[in-house]
Amino acid sequence: MKQEKNRILLSPPHMGGNEQKYIAEAFVNNWIAPFGPNIKKFEKDLEYYLKENSNVVGLNSGTAAIHLGLILLGVKSGDEVLCQSLTFSASANPIVYLGAKPIFIDSEKETWNMCPITLENAILDRIEKGNKPKVIIAVHLYGMPFKVQEIKKISEKYNIPILEDSAEALGSTYNNQKCGTFGDISVLSFNGNKIITTSGGGALIAKSKEIKDRAVFLATQAKDNAPHYQHSEIGYNYRMSNICAGIGIGQMEVLDSHILARREINAFYKTFFENNKNICLLKEPNDNFYSNHWLSIILLESYEKREILRNAFEEANIETRPVWKPMHLQPIFKEYPYYGSKNSENLFERGLCLPSGSNLTDNDKTRISKVISSFVN
Ligand SMILES: *Cc1c(COP(=O)(O)O)cnc(C)c1O
């Protein structure tokens, strides 16, 4: 097969057009700092978008937001934190930054997210072992909402707060409520490959102004109120840059249209796999779930078939990627406890993420169609 010139990427940045205007304003007014009006405006835009009394703090990454979130929820060295195993490592790394211990939980088969039954079993077992977990980190993977009602019920029953990793799910909803508003603390990411980007960035969403203020305090080196620099607590340098926030403001103007584009791409893939017994596309279990379809993912019959298709895409210069490798299988996390069977392992072996960018062209779609059609036939 001849090599097509330009590579089709999984999820490239997609600018709306006004981003540079907000960056230019920052230059004109010399707000070249992790401080300034763009940050305030970007936070307000997100608060308006998310509703539900969200208090948004712009940070320099989603990972920083998870780290601060765990601190705000009181996680300390030696504590246990429950975390979805099927996710990106950034969901779990901050647990280890704090000297706490991750306890990994398997996924269920409908949304591919944290299995509520396994979660409850794990909580009971950890309590019996004498160490009640401090936090539940649940992830809306690939933009698909996790089973919010079931997970929240367990969180309330055992009084363990939820850190909602909504890094991939801005614009997704569950029962018409936006993802990013379900956690005791919630987190967004604006990395280059996410649904919107600030080139790099993230946000923490708090339930009150007090918690927001505390997050800003910790994210700006925990400076006490004094004319000199004085610190009674360890701080972090995690605030978002005013330049990056300018990109974010521009991206908010096109967020909804980009989500519609991603959903349209998902519908495009559906035409290929709807009536295919051997390949299934991850889809919303029912009308309570609305995914931004950040990525469209398929599950094939076997690892071997997955690899054949992945290589065929590669041959055509089209980027695809296996589903996240579960954390309990990662060399860095091997020693930590895992609850579940083999769901997440199965998804890892047989799952493939397909190009899903909101700027995918008709020509790109034609090239993708050719690869899928020749594989399916
Ligand atoms: C991207 C991502 C993060 C981390 O966000 P960064 O902004 O890249 O630090 C965390 N969790 C998940 C599920 C992600 O996809």
Side-chain angles (χ1 to χ4, degrees), residues 29-89:
N29 299 309
N30 208 27
W31 285 111
I32 317 291
F35 192 80
N38 282 344
I39 301 173
K40 290 249 154 21
K41 166 94 167 79
F42 184 40
E43 288 174 345
K44 279 273 161 300
D45 287 353
L46 283 163
E47 286 168 0
Y48 179 78
Y49 186 79
L50 294 167
K51 311 267 188 312
E52 314 298 331
N53 188 31
S54 298
N55 295 267
V56 174
V57 183
L59 298 171
N60 54 24
S61 75
T63 311
I66 295 172
H67 189 189
L68 282 186
L70 292 175
I71 293 169
L72 292 169
L73 292 171
V75 173
K76 302 228 156 56
S77 178
D79 287 343
E80 294 191 351
V81 175
L82 300 152
C83 183
Q84 185 165 321
S85 187
L86 190 72
T87 185
F88 179 46
S89 63

Side-chain angles (χ1 to χ4, degrees), residues 245-285:
I247 306 175
I249 296 167
Q251 290 272 278
M252 285 305 286
E253 295 173 1
V254 291
L255 171 59
D256 279 331
S257 71
H258 286 189
I259 290 169
L260 290 178
R262 298 222 184 214
R263 287 184 58 86
E264 203 262 310
I265 289 158
N266 190 259
F268 157 76
Y269 286 122
K270 203 163 152 191
T271 60
F272 294 97
F273 306 117
E274 208 160 26
N275 298 311
N276 192 311
K277 285 192 298 297
N278 300 319
I279 305 174
C280 68
L281 183 69
L282 173 63
K283 64 171 198 296
E284 289 119 341

Side-chain angles (χ1 to χ4, degrees), residues 90-308:
S91 303
N93 282 338
I95 304 169
V96 180
Y97 300 168
L98 289 166
K101 178 174 165 183
I103 311 287
F104 293 112
I105 309 292
D106 202 2
S107 290
E108 33 81 8
K109 288 176 178 164
E110 282 188 300
T111 72
W112 299 15
N113 292 312
M114 187 179 266
C115 172
I117 298 163
T118 310
L119 173 65
E120 183 159 24
N121 289 339
I123 292 171
L124 290 170
D125 191 56
R126 297 323 290 180
I127 290 174
E128 197 174 296
K129 288 189 163 68
N131 208 351
K132 185 179 163 190
K134 273 283 167 62
V135 172
I136 299 165
I137 301 178
V139 187
H140 306 293
L141 212 60
Y142 301 119
M144 181 63 69
F146 58 76
K147 294 193 169 176
V148 172
Q149 202 180 330
E150 286 90 334
I151 302 284
K152 276 197 91 112
K153 218 169 122 191
I154 293 167
S155 153
E156 280 156 21
K157 182 169 171 189
Y158 296 96
N159 196 21
I160 305 174
I162 295 174
L163 191 145
E164 180 193 15
D165 182 346
S166 197
E168 301 175 1
L170 180 59
S172 298
T173 67
Y174 178 86
N175 282 342
N176 294 317
Q177 186 179 327
K178 291 260 161 50
C179 289
T181 64
F182 294 111
D184 294 86
I185 298 269
S186 303
V187 163
L188 298 171
S189 167
F190 313 114
N191 209 332
N193 59 346
K194 296 289 157 67
I195 196 97
I196 61 168
T197 181
T198 59
S199 75
L204 180 146
I205 300 143
K207 290 282 167 242
S208 72
K209 178 76 168 53
E210 290 67 47
I211 299 171
K212 171 173 173 162
D213 291 346
R214 170 104 184 119
V216 172
F217 170 77
L218 291 173
T220 50
Q221 305 287 26
K223 295 176 195 131
D224 292 344
N225 194 5
H228 54 277
Y229 280 143
Q230 167 146 323
H231 309 274
S232 318
E233 280 184 82
I234 296 290
Y236 302 86
N237 184 8
Y238 279 175
R239 199 70 163 120
M240 178 175 271
S241 141
N242 190 59
I243 304 291
C244 295
I247 306 175
I249 296 167
Q251 290 272 278
M252 285 305 286
E253 295 173 1
V254 291
L255 171 59
D256 279 331
S257 71
H258 286 189
I259 290 169
L260 290 178
R262 298 222 184 214
R263 287 184 58 86
E264 203 262 310
I265 289 158
N266 190 259
F268 157 76
Y269 286 122
K270 203 163 152 191
T271 60
F272 294 97
F273 306 117
E274 208 160 26
N275 298 311
N276 192 311
K277 285 192 298 297
N278 300 319
I279 305 174
C280 68
L281 183 69
L282 173 63
K283 64 171 198 296
E284 289 119 341
N286 58 54
D287 287 347
N288 297 338
F289 295 79
Y290 179 90
S291 172
N292 64 12
H293 287 306
W294 172 59
L295 295 186
S296 288
I297 319 111
I298 50 171
L299 196 62
L300 293 98
E301 325 159 56
S302 65
Y303 169 78
E304 289 72 24
K305 285 271 158 63
R306 203 277 310 275
E307 281 301 282
I308 292 169

